[in-house]
Amino acid sequence: MAEVLVFHHAQGRTAGVVAFADELRKAGHTVYVPDLYDGRTFDDLATGIGHAQEIGFGTILERGVRAADALPAGLVYAGFSLGVLPAQKLAQTRPGAAGALLISGCVPTEEFGTPWPDGVPVQIHGMDADEIFVDDGDLDAARALVASAGNAELFLYPGSGHLFADTSLPSYDPAAAELLTERVIGFLDTV
């Protein structure tokens, strides 16, 4: 069974992020969900992004790396949207990564100064009409990552919800979230 480090999105460590982690635990995996916001959550995405900008994306990355430092190597790094930043950075730069799950986000691999590491599988999930994922370049970065990595998959779901897998938010899409969770558990069962 896999050990997974899940990073929350810009609205914080919501009940929906915790519920996702609980689904992975029910499937037999060990899951850690650090709080990069010191207990704060936000009712809407814009306010959460504002908070992330206020504390700084560098600080969020640093907090994510510190959370991983307390855990063993061999983790699968998972992130939702903003949480993709520390998840992808750790998967690319921390030796021993077992895999990565990038949900509603992806950044160019060049952002972290190294190509995607050989032998590290990755799944990327997003909605095909999500303005943030599609228009802000995440989809292009995801396609480039899939084209350059040996074991990479991109899954696009019909719809426009950005945080579609978070059960606690209005953008939650039950059918897409169920399929995402099924694919994630299948991925974790193979790493």
Side-chain angles (χ1 to χ4, degrees), residues 13-37:
R13 189 176 184 262
T14 62
V17 171
V18 173
F20 175 79
D22 287 342
E23 287 299 313
L24 304 184
R25 289 182 184 111
K26 285 180 196 171
H29 304 288
T30 301
V31 185
Y32 310 95
V33 189
D35 188 340
L36 305 179
Y37 276 7

Side-chain angles (χ1 to χ4, degrees), residues 71-168:
L71 299 171
L75 297 171
V76 173
Y77 300 101
F80 287 87
S81 189
L82 175 70
V84 163
L85 292 173
Q88 189 171 336
K89 176 184 172 100
L90 287 161
Q92 280 187 235
T93 64
R94 188 177 191 220
L101 298 162
L102 310 178
I103 303 166
S104 299
C106 185
V107 297
T109 57
E110 299 80 24
E111 184 75 23
F112 303 113
T114 179
W116 192 260
D118 289 337
V120 177
V122 58
Q123 276 189 352
I124 307 161
H125 302 265
M127 287 205 141
D128 62 4
D130 169 8
E131 291 180 7
I132 296 170
F133 186 72
V134 175
D135 296 344
D136 289 354
D138 297 71
L139 179 56
D140 292 337
R143 287 182 170 143
L145 175 53
V146 168
S148 69
N151 186 358
E153 296 176 289
L154 170 60
F155 296 105
L156 293 175
Y157 304 83
S160 61
H162 183 58
L163 300 174
F164 68 95
D166 186 321
T167 59
S168 66

